[in-house]
Amino acid sequence: AYEIKECDWSSDVCSSDLFRDIEYFTEVAERGNVGRAAEALGLSQPALSKSLRRLETSLQSKLVKRVSRGVELTAAGRELFAHAHRLRLSLDDITRSVMDISQGRSGHLRIGSGTGFALYVIAAACADVVTNAPGATFKVSPMARNAAEAALLNGEIDLSVMTLLASAHKDLVTEHLYDEVFAICASANHPLARKKRLALTDLVNEKWIVSTEWASAPRQLKQAFADAGLPAPRITAQSESQTLRNTLLASTRLLSIANTRIVRHAAQQSALVILPVSGFKYSRSFGIYRRKDAYLPPIAQRFIVMLKNAARETTDDGR
């Protein structure tokens, strides 16, 4: 067995045994069960238990304790697991970096995406990847903000495109892409679509479809009604699907609130218009999130440039 205090780190046996035992410990910590961890590692349970005891002896710390459903980490075990997790992320970064350089390939890109117009910008950048970097592969995963933040911190994605918030995690960095402007919209056949000027009072009796009542844009709409001394908008339908909302808008007398870019884009397929309503203004910024000091593969660096180009080209003039 190795001995931490006296270990000669030039010894391949010492370092390889230590890293192997830490890797085995990490598997046990993640699964909470020695038997299942041994099965996943292709080891016998006695061999894995011996590895744990060897690691505990060398660190002079109890790392796991037996419980009825398997094992739990001690305080020392939790500390080692946290360090091991960071080490694994660093090793993943190093491996990807070396492979990109040594094999000369573009690499694999993992993207977390918000909803709305961000998908159009990401799609434009992905089209550039397909056309100009045929050796690259990528995966786009729509996800909520909390899920995207966790995935970035865990090294599961390379970057995400989300609403920019001042409260971003300290281990994440952001880059501004574009600003979204929201407006009230309806079918081109809606009676209000013929009006040249509208106020919020003209909308009091209308029915609405929104993503969710607690999303940022609907909340701003409700606040605008409240500030004007009007009753809250009558929410008839809710859907996270932009396509469904656009389809219902085009075929009913419902109103909605949406990104002006999305409305203009959807107007090519559906007869939607932006209503000239005074008394309501709302905008927000979208940008790129990535993990601070993490290895950013060449394909990700290229993709960020593509995102910025796509954001510039899809300005609010409707292009």
Side-chain angles (χ1 to χ4, degrees), residues 134-171:
T137 60
F138 56 87
K139 180 180 180 181
V140 181
S141 302
M143 52 182 63
R145 168 173 300 284
N146 290 344
E149 184 173 281
L152 282 169
L153 295 173
N154 288 329
E156 297 168 5
I157 58 176
D158 299 298
L159 56 90
S160 68
V161 180
M162 298 279 173
T163 310
L164 290 178
L165 297 179
S167 58
H169 193 282
K170 63 181 179 63
D171 291 329

Side-chain angles (χ1 to χ4, degrees), residues 61 121 123 196 254:
S61 299
V121 176
K196 293 184 178 181
L254 293 174

Side-chain angles (χ1 to χ4, degrees), residues 52-186:
L52 285 174
R53 289 195 300 270
R54 182 169 58 226
L55 185 59
E56 289 178 329
T57 299
S58 297
L59 296 178
Q60 300 180 4
S61 299
K62 187 70 174 175
L63 300 176
V64 298
K65 58 182 179 181
R66 301 280 180 176
V67 294
S68 58
R69 61 182 180 276
V71 295
E72 286 184 355
L73 298 183
T74 63
R78 290 192 295 272
E79 181 70 11
L80 176 59
F81 181 60
H83 284 291
H85 181 64
R86 288 192 291 270
L87 177 61
R88 178 181 287 180
L89 290 178
S90 296
L91 290 174
D92 286 346
D93 286 346
I94 292 169
T95 300
R96 295 183 72 199
S97 175
V98 171
M99 290 179 66
D100 279 340
I101 294 172
S102 64
Q103 297 184 13
R105 62 184 178 82
S106 296
H108 180 64
L109 180 62
R110 305 162 301 172
I111 309 156
S113 168
T115 57
F117 193 74
L119 294 175
Y120 292 101
V121 176
I122 291 173
C126 287
D128 196 293
V129 171
V130 172
T131 303
N132 299 310
T137 60
F138 56 87
K139 180 180 180 181
V140 181
S141 302
M143 52 182 63
R145 168 173 300 284
N146 290 344
E149 184 173 281
L152 282 169
L153 295 173
N154 288 329
E156 297 168 5
I157 58 176
D158 299 298
L159 56 90
S160 68
V161 180
M162 298 279 173
T163 310
L164 290 178
L165 297 179
S167 58
H169 193 282
K170 63 181 179 63
D171 291 329
L172 299 179
V173 293
T174 62
E175 293 184 68
H176 178 269
L177 273 180
Y178 61 90
D179 293 324
E180 288 189 335
V181 177
F182 284 79
I184 296 168
C185 54

Side-chain angles (χ1 to χ4, degrees), residues 24-43:
Y24 290 174
F25 161 78
T26 302
E27 191 73 28
V28 173
E30 290 178 342
R31 296 180 181 275
N33 185 282
V34 174
R36 287 196 293 269
E39 182 178 353
L41 292 166
L43 298 173

Side-chain angles (χ1 to χ4, degrees), residues 178-183 258-262 282-284 316:
Y178 61 90
D179 293 324
E180 288 189 335
V181 177
F182 284 79
N259 184 324
T260 55
R261 302 182 188 190
I262 291 180
Y282 174 58
S283 63
R284 64 185 182 185
D316 233 357

